[in-house]
Amino acid sequence: MHLSPLIRNALASNLAARVCVAGSSGIAGVRSLSAATAASPSSLCRSALLVRSYSCSTRSSICSASQSIAAAWFASSRAAAPVTQSRTFRSSGSSYFADTLQKLRSPSISLFGKSTGVPLLGLGHKISPQAAVLSPLARETSRKLSTMGIENPFENVLTTLPNPAGGSFGKYYSLPALNDPRIDKLPYSIKILLEAAIRNCDEFQVRKADVEKILDWENTAPQQVEIPFKPARVILQDFTGVPAIVDLAAMRDAIKRLGGDPKKINPLVPVDLVIDHSVQVDVARSPNALESNMQFEFDRNKERFAFLKWGATAFDNMLVVPPGSGIVHQVNLEYLARVVFNNNGILYPDSLVGTDSHTTMIDGLGVAGWGVGGIEAEAAMLGQPMSMVLPQVVGFELTGKLKTGVTATDLVLTVTQMLRKHGVVGKFVEFHGKGMQELSLADRATIANMSPEYGATMGFFPVDHVSLDYLRLTGRDEEKVKLVEAYLRANKLFIDYSEPQMEKVYSSFLHLDLDSVEPSVSGPKRPHDRVSIREMKDDWQSCLNNKVGFKGFGIPKEQQGAVAKFDFQGESAELRHGDVVIAAITSCTNTSNPNVMLGAGLVAKKATELGLKVKPWVKTSLAPGSGVVTKYLQKSGLAEFLDLQGFNLVGYGCTTCIGNSGELHESVGSAIADNDIVAAAVLSGNRNFEGRVHPLTRANYLASPPLVVAYAFAGTVNIDFEKEPIGISETGKEVFLRDIWPTSEEIASIVGSSVLPEMFRSTYEAITKGNKMWNELAAPTGALYAWDSTSTYVHEPPFFKTMSSKPPGVHSVKDAYVLLNFGDSITTDHISPAGNIHKDSPAAKYLAERGVGRRDFNSYGSRRGNDEIMARGTFANIRIVNKFLKGEVGPKTIHIPSGEKLYIFEAAKKYHDEGKDLVILAGAEYGSGSSRDWAAKGPYLQGVKAVIAKSFERIHRSNLVGMGIIPLCFKTGQDQDSLGLTGYEKLSIDLPSNIKEIKPGQDVTVTTDSGKQFPCTLRFDTQVEITYFEHGGILQYVLRQLLES
Ligand code: SF4
């Protein structure tokens, strides 16, 4: 019987992780998955515990649509003083959320072969089928949009799935019915892409040739071929969700202007938005912390929340989980995940994209999902395929069993280090092997969560018996579980380790013996810099000595013993290098795992009983990802001990994981700053880059929740837990970590008695009722959003304001000025920074003019719902390097006709007022870094019509196309310098005026005003992208389709 182990003796272990690597690149060979014994459902049940250039026609049609929109935008952005506008608000009743769910109900839709009333998620809520499947309107529309080509050529493999209890579960596109021997060797994750391609094949958006590419994955993946993928649903968090809903709201206005029905604008696939990123730890170590922090959160974010609340009631297929409910990925895992969809009788695997990089956590449950930028997410919402490179797959074999004292956090830090070393960027990682049975679902989710840290697109765990037991544990109906198993078995997507395993092909291989994992932390500045806690003291010492870098602080020897003495609320206090000032149990990465959460509680209990106390100046906090955690901590009796040591509940949200740590006490902050102390934070999060956790904690260590509590007691990371006591008991005895570390039996026992399916059911029933603050929040109602022109957070974007019902067609670019002349590696953060709004920037000026004080500027990230601020923030990165400035760094450029040096936004505005087109010249990897929709929307709003670069980051190129901006590549070996371009030339780009004559990847001639010509490659990569261009952007394309439907 497997129970996640967590015991003391392994602290003495010095076994290194054993790694077996084969074929580090390309399709290396074939590996047999050995047969294994079946997991014991009953035991696993206990252990499985614990988110547009709206261009124009030809130049002759003047002010092409894009110019008109830009004109409208520049005009609106010039509107000076705020105007008061009356608005109608409704203070909703006690259960807005229930209203939303009621709206989504449709008894006529059949699930599981029944005609009505089957709880969708098996949680007993009778949630509308449309929360999981498309509304009748959406289905109809989806069909309309997806059948622009021919009927699905794979209808012949549509097969009935019998229900052993009688009747059928529904129909499915059967992979075995394809009778293709290549399928059995495909990794499970690739089979999910294959099934989606077959089901969505219409010879327009998805073609038979795409299906063949996936079938032939072994040969095509090394060639980096692109395929379309249509995920089953989309998940959002509030930071990135606001601009997406703003676009949908603006589309509703547009369709009304064009004579259509605004209610046609709805997500075509289910969209779940969880408000979790805004809560901060303003108050900690107090019984009132939860309530106080929620109040601060609502006060700060009222406008954004009211807008999202409007969206929740205005759109079909959209569920908004109110603030204070949980963290997106934990809520997804425990509640939202369908695993298998039943869409009007058609069964298919759950899959999703999300606008948060840790969307990958759901891969632990066998649901394929990963993070994308806003434009891709919006496109996916509206039923459009995403273009992706068919990924290589790293097969990661797990054997053995975690030793006692070793947690899932230790394991994920080990896996992260291995995969970083192996190199998995852009690849899938698929876990398999006998060790899988030894990992609870929550352990798997922890590993899947940190995919961004190891660089993979996703770390995937195919569904097996452990996954099914987790569905039962979290309160899903048995009938739903039976459907999931029957469908996945029938379509060869289920792993049964009691059966002989088929040989799988992987691109490369890794192996880890779980026995070799030892307790670890990662830091002080990067998630993959793992340190065994046995070596922590030595590692810390070398970090102090090393010159400043990822593993160094460069503290001179004579200053390493510095002591900062200060007064903390009347008590004498001291801080040394390495002292802990933040200890946070945070992040969905860990708070979804009862083993480590209850392990943390047991450490607190044992230490308390021995008389240990956490020093009062350590900012301790507990921020779980769902109310279930509170319930099992309370039932176990351990919550009391966490409270006693200051780990009071501070909120249900991201908090310290996203850097919302709140302020340190003033005296602590001064002691650190005045004495240049390298203070430490210890958190159970997944990222620790300098500056992310708190500006005053230069050392940040990722650790399991029990270790977070242990380091809080120790008060320093400069400790050898083997040899040095963690504290002194009431009786004056030295207390070591091993004295307070729980055994695996203790943890297993308390998990078994404290974590119950009913807790999941009742928690998620409760969130459907909202909460007091949310329910009392006034929000507009109606199908159309009542834009408030005085709002500096939510503003109607101009993207659709001047669009017509007919596509504008091709627009050429004539005599365009170069707005910016870049070199290599311009990232999306250069293009659209997310951080602070600089006091001298155009965005700051805009806010000041509207009466916003400097303290309330907030960040660009929080103001993504306001296009006027985001346009001013485009290219506002203070470290941007533009060749025009001859070495000067900063967000300025030369307005060529006048020779003036201006902020980039101001130069763009001046060009616009003069009626000039703009282009950008760039080097290699333009748009690398995080996928960010505003990195395409912003340049569009500044009037950029084309970007000519040596190469583009893949997602950013597709975002440019989505905004109607033309991406062009210099020919191999050429760039601005080799062609003798100074950037001061005026450039004309000659595209065929007839859209039908434009071909993906064709050559296009660019001509300078002096007559020089050079060829470029047009980076519209597919026919679908050319269609988007014809329409002025992807959202305009979809809008027109809906208008016609
Ligand atoms: S807790 Fe951390 S990982 Fe999870 S959603 Fe929030 S910021 Fe992302």
Side-chain angles (χ1 to χ4, degrees), residues 246 303-304 307 785 787-788 791-796 865-866:
V246 162
E303 277 182 74
R304 294 164 66 239
F307 174 71
Y785 184 66
W787 302 99
D788 177 358
S791 171
T792 54
Y793 278 100
V794 177
H795 183 264
E796 183 183 6
N866 186 314

Side-chain angles (χ1 to χ4, degrees), residues 25-349:
S25 64
I27 303 292
V30 177
R31 165 152 303 192
S32 296
L33 298 181
S34 58
T37 55
S40 158
S42 59
S43 62
L44 292 170
C45 180
R46 295 248 186 250
S47 61
L49 304 171
L50 301 246
V51 158
R52 317 168 213 205
S53 131
Y54 299 73
S55 44
C56 15
S57 45
T58 59
R59 182 78 182 166
S60 61
S61 70
I62 254 325
C63 219
S64 55
S66 64
Q67 286 174 311
S68 304
I69 294 163
W73 179 76
F74 274 114
S76 74
S77 70
R78 279 202 297 270
V83 180
T84 306
Q85 183 180 334
S86 67
R87 301 171 62 193
T88 307
F89 291 98
R90 172 175 71 96
S91 178
S92 63
S94 62
S95 182
Y96 112 90
F97 200 69
D99 291 349
T100 307
L101 293 174
Q102 181 64 39
K103 178 190 69 174
L104 295 173
R105 270 182 202 132
S106 172
S108 64
I109 294 179
S110 163
L111 286 173
F112 317 135
K114 290 191 176 178
S115 61
T116 185
V118 178
L120 174 64
L121 303 179
L123 289 166
H125 310 310
K126 309 272 184 197
I127 289 179
S128 150
Q130 284 129 307
V133 300
L134 305 182
S135 69
L137 167 64
R139 279 198 305 277
E140 208 174 285
T141 313
S142 174
R143 198 172 299 123
K144 167 93 181 161
L145 288 176
S146 64
T147 52
M148 292 189 61
I150 60 170
E151 289 299 313
N152 190 327
F154 292 100
E155 290 296 318
N156 60 325
V157 298
L158 201 52
T159 305
T160 299
L161 181 67
N163 182 343
S168 80
F169 282 119
K171 293 192 167 193
Y172 67 104
Y173 285 87
S174 167
L175 299 184
L178 289 172
N179 282 323
D180 192 314
R182 294 173 293 182
I183 293 174
D184 284 339
K185 289 186 176 179
L186 291 177
Y188 288 87
S189 47
I190 297 299
K191 283 199 267 188
I192 288 178
L193 301 182
L194 176 64
E195 190 281 341
I198 288 169
R199 178 167 35 88
N200 291 300
C201 189
D202 62 355
E203 286 295 8
F204 176 64
Q205 292 182 329
V206 183
R207 297 163 304 146
K208 278 168 82 175
D210 299 315
V211 172
E212 175 56 28
K213 279 185 209 165
I214 304 172
L215 273 168
D216 202 31
W217 168 84
E218 187 174 353
N219 297 310
T220 53
Q223 298 168 23
Q224 301 271 296
V225 298
E226 295 218 6
I227 57 156
F229 175 59
K230 291 178 118 177
R233 62 189 172 99
V234 174
I235 198 158
L236 309 169
Q237 36 94 335
D238 51 315
F239 265 23
T240 49
V242 167
I245 311 303
V246 162
D247 284 349
L248 291 180
M251 287 174 78
R252 281 203 162 175
D253 287 348
I255 203 167
K256 182 163 189 283
R257 274 194 297 272
L258 294 169
D261 178 3
K263 290 195 173 169
K264 281 188 176 176
I265 302 290
N266 277 301
L268 299 181
V269 298
V271 175
D272 304 305
L273 189 156
V274 180
I275 303 177
D276 61 355
H277 272 54
S278 298
V279 63
Q280 301 187 15
V281 189
D282 292 295
V283 179
R285 301 193 73 145
S286 157
N288 302 324
L290 173 70
E291 201 169 288
S292 303
N293 290 327
M294 274 186 76
Q295 191 61 59
F296 279 118
E297 180 189 11
F298 269 79
D299 290 347
R300 284 192 189 106
N301 296 286
K302 211 175 281 174
E303 277 182 74
R304 294 164 66 239
F305 289 177
F307 174 71
L308 291 174
K309 191 170 174 181
W310 166 80
T313 54
F315 293 107
D316 292 339
N317 286 325
M318 182 176 292
L319 215 52
V320 174
V321 177
S325 304
I327 302 175
V328 57
H329 308 309
Q330 188 164 340
V331 173
N332 194 15
L333 195 68
E334 294 177 349
Y335 176 64
L336 296 170
R338 284 76 161 172
V339 188
V340 171
F341 264 83
N342 182 344
N343 183 352
N344 203 25
I346 301 295
L347 309 173
Y348 53 90

